[in-house]
Amino acid sequence: MVSGNSRFSEEKLGKSYDLKLLGRLLPFAKPYKLLFLCSIFLVVMITLMDLSIPYITKITIDTYIVPSTDFFVSETPGEGQKKTRYLSVRMKQPGVASIVGNYPELFRVKGESAVIPYEWLSRLQEEDLANLRGRDFSGVTRMVLFLLVIVCTNFIFNFAQMMIMEYTGQKIMHDLRITLFDHIQHLDLAFFNRNPVGRLVTRATNDIQNMHEMFTSVITFVFKDLFLLVGITVVLFTINFKLALMSLMVLPVVLYFAVQFANVAREAFRTLRIKLAEINSRFAETIEGVRIIQLFRQEVNNYKAFKRINREHFLAGMKQVRVFAVFLPVIEIMGSVALATVILYGGSGILSGTITLGALVAFISYMRMFFRPIRDIAEKFSVMQNAMSSAERIFLILDQGQMVAEPASDEGLPEFKKLTGLNFENVSFSYIPGEMVLKDISFQVRAGETVAVVGPTGAGKTSLINLIVRFYDPTKGRVLVNGNDIKYYPSKSIRSRFALVTQDPFLFSGTIRDNIAQGSRTLTGQQLSHILTASNCRYLTDSLPDGVDTILSERGTSISSGERQLISIARALASDPDLIIFDEATSYIDSETEHKIQSAMKTLMAGRTSILIAHRLSTARNADRIIALRQGEIIETGSHDELIQQQGYYSRLNALQG
Ligand code: TTP
Ligand code: MG
């Protein structure tokens, strides 16, 4: 079952979480190196600006608002309780001397400067106070303007950085998706036997999207956050070593929690991802098999199974929420503890004059800034986890080396021009090692011949064809085209000369015209009209309101299987091939449609080599040679008349079909 498979592979993948993957992504990021550098530069600038804001506040406070030339004097030394803060002004400053002279009872002159207790400043005339502190006022204004400039520049830089990162992320995602798409369409068919469609589609959509998020948000934020953390630590220690040491004392506890969190969260994310994959594959399976589910009235059972998976997904989601719900408040509390420490030690530092007020304010701002990145990184952890496992799954496909084998250039034969003969030389073949589907098959088809293959269902007829068009290579023996091993021709040149009408033809969603023109050069209106007539498709297109421009829904389900086969005959005709391979439909087709198909086939086969797989002996009867296949072995071969005379399998079949 699909879900079982995908669960297995999800689990297997979830365990290995590896930074080496980042290295593998580098080639995709390389074309955008300059943009990345630009972005990193901007991030550095932004961080520096972020860091400077509290520092500017500190300078403003310490230089202008509460200048550090202020000092405290204990008025009552005996008790040591009451301290008075004095503002000191320089007598040399213009206007100061006269103001001081006006209030002799308030100022105490000490040589070059005069001091006045802060409490008495309010007793001065407003005008005098403004003059006295004029320098401070203009200083504060200057600093505020400076701050404004920084905030604006910061905004512009942030905008630019975000745009660049988003652009780069989108570009990388597109490149990655194109690479994946192209890789998948070149893969060996055996790969698709092992990998359900749903899973492959998830790779190209979800997984690529996850990578995009990593490139944009994670790289930007994590880098920025780490840089900010380091920056803050450095600034804190330069402002006041002891206070920095005190306030960062909670850091080991925070680190401990972060590591614990990372471990639990990883597990929770993994479970969530596995459950999501199960939901996806169950959904895909249900949609794919909805006919069978309804036919066998499996709705209730299927519903129950889905409900269970859905609930498990919910529980896994809740577990993840719980992990975050514990971790984030813990970080919050640690932040508060650090803040309390700063206020406690910083406050007493101010009182004892070892720390300036500006330094304390800056410290408080920095501490607030410090804990935000820690939260951020923790939150980005989930994106990172997702992206890593997505990267792993994408590379798992990209590492699939099983491409359709092409000849090595020196072994390659010149372009395949015209078919002169096809040989099977002791060919044996198995899809699964050990389970032979074809056993020691040898036969020859000369140019212009029609060879029919008959045999019971499961005999290996379709498998035989798979070898001719090189969907697979034989396990043993050789398939020869024009006397050369088919392996030495580029499969492209072989396939352009062979046309295959399959048992259950696949039509793409698109117009009938596009489906017919598939693979062939451009078709003129006249050619198309000729093909429609020759393939008996005209009655079909004439009955449709939009004619050849009718859009077929996905898989061509809007038309019947007989009509689909007619369109695929037209498609084969359009490519004007040398070899026609026709795998007759096993499904019931009314005799009128059957007649139409047969006459279309006759036109198609005229003057060409053909291999027919026949279920209705009326198709086989006129072939030059008939090969009867049973359980992967050729049991009879000869013309219709010869085989009838042999009184073997074919003649019994003939008698049965009347
Ligand atoms: P087929 O070659 O498909 O048998 P057939 O074409 O003769 O049968 P029918 O008349 O019903 O069209 O299958 C032969 C065996 O190979 C059968 O046991 C299924 C197996 N098989 C695979 O395992 N993978 C494949 O892709 C195909 C086509 C067949
Ligand atoms: Mg078949």
Side-chain angles (χ1 to χ4, degrees), residues 231-300:
I232 292 174
T233 315
V234 171
V235 177
L236 287 185
F237 277 99
T238 29
I239 293 181
N240 191 312
F241 194 86
K242 212 170 145 210
L243 188 56
L245 214 58
M246 296 300 285
S247 50
L248 293 184
M249 247 166 29
V250 291
L251 216 53
V253 185
V254 170
L255 279 182
Y256 170 78
F257 270 105
V259 170
Q260 291 298 317
F261 166 80
N263 286 335
V264 183
R266 181 178 309 167
E267 203 49 42
F269 284 128
R270 201 167 69 80
T271 322
L272 193 65
R273 216 166 45 231
I274 293 168
K275 293 300 161 198
L276 190 66
E278 275 181 43
I279 285 187
N280 282 349
S281 52
R282 170 66 62 159
F283 237 112
E285 214 167 83
T286 301
I287 293 168
E288 199 114 312
V290 71
R291 281 187 189 78
I292 305 301
I293 290 172
Q294 290 179 356
L295 205 59
F296 287 88
R297 298 181 307 283
Q298 285 300 307
E299 293 95 331
V300 175

Side-chain angles (χ1 to χ4, degrees), residues 283-440:
F283 237 112
E285 214 167 83
T286 301
I287 293 168
E288 199 114 312
V290 71
R291 281 187 189 78
I292 305 301
I293 290 172
Q294 290 179 356
L295 205 59
F296 287 88
R297 298 181 307 283
Q298 285 300 307
E299 293 95 331
V300 175
N301 284 342
N302 200 35
Y303 173 83
K304 279 185 190 152
F306 188 76
K307 196 172 164 185
R308 182 182 52 80
I309 302 173
N310 204 29
R311 175 155 179 80
E312 284 168 0
H313 178 257
F314 168 75
L315 292 178
M318 284 314 291
K319 187 171 174 203
Q320 185 200 340
V321 169
R322 263 203 310 280
V323 173
F324 269 98
V326 171
F327 178 71
L328 294 183
V330 164
I331 295 295
E332 206 71 44
I333 291 173
M334 289 299 138
S336 304
V337 170
L339 205 60
T341 317
V342 168
I343 293 171
L344 186 66
Y345 282 88
S348 54
I350 289 186
L351 294 183
S352 63
T354 50
I355 292 170
T356 63
L357 180 63
L360 179 65
V361 172
F363 248 83
I364 291 173
S365 305
Y366 281 127
M367 285 324 283
R368 288 182 166 282
M369 272 167 93
F370 193 83
F371 284 87
R372 201 197 58 213
I374 294 182
R375 277 186 55 147
D376 263 7
I377 292 177
E379 276 172 2
K380 291 290 175 286
F381 189 76
S382 71
V383 184
M384 195 78 176
Q385 283 280 309
N386 265 338
M388 279 301 166
S389 58
S390 291
E392 195 158 18
R393 283 175 293 197
I394 289 170
F395 282 121
L396 208 66
I397 295 183
L398 289 182
D399 288 345
Q400 270 294 331
Q402 279 180 317
M403 309 297 280
V404 177
E406 292 295 335
S409 56
D410 52 337
E411 290 175 312
L413 290 166
E415 184 107 349
F416 175 77
K417 287 264 157 47
K418 184 117 194 88
L419 182 75
T420 55
L422 178 82
N423 285 40
F424 266 58
E425 218 179 60
N426 310 103
V427 170
S428 296
F429 175 67
S430 64
Y431 293 98
I432 306 157
E435 287 179 32
M436 284 295 166
V437 172
L438 294 175
K439 297 163 204 157
D440 200 25

Side-chain angles (χ1 to χ4, degrees), residues 62-203:
D62 285 349
T63 322
Y64 303 112
I65 299 177
V66 189
S68 42
T69 46
D70 289 2
F71 57 90
F72 300 84
V73 171
S74 262
E75 294 293 297
T76 44
E79 289 140 37
Q81 292 295 327
K82 190 169 181 300
K83 284 181 174 178
T84 307
R85 204 166 119 228
Y86 284 91
L87 171 73
S88 134
V89 289
R90 282 150 65 95
M91 296 294 276
K92 270 194 187 155
Q93 253 174 271
V96 168
S98 66
I99 294 171
V100 171
N102 284 347
Y103 305 92
E105 74 283 8
L106 300 181
F107 286 94
R108 235 188 295 159
V109 183
K110 278 185 180 173
E112 294 257 300
S113 54
V115 293
I116 173 172
Y118 262 79
E119 290 163 12
W120 293 354
L121 282 177
S122 54
R123 293 202 214 163
L124 300 179
Q125 295 264 314
E126 233 174 76
E127 218 173 286
D128 292 338
L129 182 61
N131 273 335
L132 213 55
R133 303 210 65 183
R135 210 170 59 96
D136 293 341
F137 278 129
S138 63
V140 169
T141 319
R142 253 198 331 275
M143 290 311 252
V144 168
L145 282 179
F146 186 48
L147 213 61
L148 217 60
V149 170
I150 286 190
V151 169
C152 289
T153 321
N154 203 357
F155 169 78
I156 294 168
F157 277 27
N158 257 313
F159 171 78
Q161 198 270 341
M162 219 179 247
M163 288 304 283
I164 290 176
M165 242 12 238
E166 200 56 43
Y167 173 84
T168 319
Q170 293 275 357
K171 277 289 199 188
I172 292 177
M173 177 177 74
H174 281 84
D175 294 352
L176 205 59
R177 188 182 288 141
I178 281 281
T179 311
L180 188 68
F181 182 87
D182 197 42
H183 188 83
I184 286 180
Q185 69 170 352
H186 282 104
L187 278 175
D188 197 308
L189 280 191
F191 172 82
F192 298 95
N193 290 341
R194 291 194 309 271
N195 290 279
V197 181
R199 202 192 289 169
L200 295 178
V201 172
T202 312
R203 296 291 169 276

Side-chain angles (χ1 to χ4, degrees), residues 507-510 551-558:
L507 299 181
F508 288 93
S509 47
I551 294 173
L552 302 176
S553 67
E554 201 181 352
R555 291 182 177 211
T557 41
S558 52

Side-chain angles (χ1 to χ4, degrees), residues 472-604:
Y472 303 88
D473 283 328
T475 316
K476 267 197 222 122
R478 299 194 299 166
V479 177
L480 304 175
V481 169
N482 294 359
N484 300 311
D485 195 324
I486 194 169
K487 280 184 193 165
Y488 297 135
Y489 287 108
S491 50
K492 196 170 71 183
S493 71
I494 291 279
R495 286 177 189 163
S496 68
R497 306 307 311 139
F498 292 3
L500 172 61
V501 178
T502 55
Q503 260 176 320
D504 188 18
F506 179 89
L507 299 181
F508 288 93
S509 47
T511 61
I512 295 182
R513 183 199 298 276
D514 290 344
N515 268 289
I516 292 178
Q518 199 87 52
S520 62
R521 297 131 299 258
T522 41
L523 286 179
T524 63
Q526 209 178 1
Q527 282 170 323
L528 184 67
S529 161
H530 173 75
I531 289 168
L532 286 178
T533 316
S535 61
N536 275 336
C537 280
R538 189 165 290 287
Y539 92 96
L540 169 68
T541 51
D542 285 351
S543 70
L544 293 168
D546 293 327
V548 280
D549 292 314
T550 305
I551 294 173
L552 302 176
S553 67
E554 201 181 352
R555 291 182 177 211
T557 41
S558 52
I559 54 173
S560 80
S561 61
E563 290 165 337
R564 249 185 302 164
Q565 201 147 34
L566 283 177
I567 291 178
S568 85
I569 290 173
R571 177 164 67 187
L573 255 179
S575 68
D576 189 23
D578 288 343
L579 176 70
I580 305 289
I581 305 163
F582 179 69
D583 202 348
E584 194 172 53
T586 36
S587 55
Y588 172 77
I589 287 172
D590 64 71
S591 49
E592 194 190 340
T593 312
E594 189 182 334
H595 178 74
K596 278 189 185 125
I597 291 177
Q598 287 193 347
S599 85
M601 279 306 294
K602 210 170 265 172
T603 329
L604 179 60

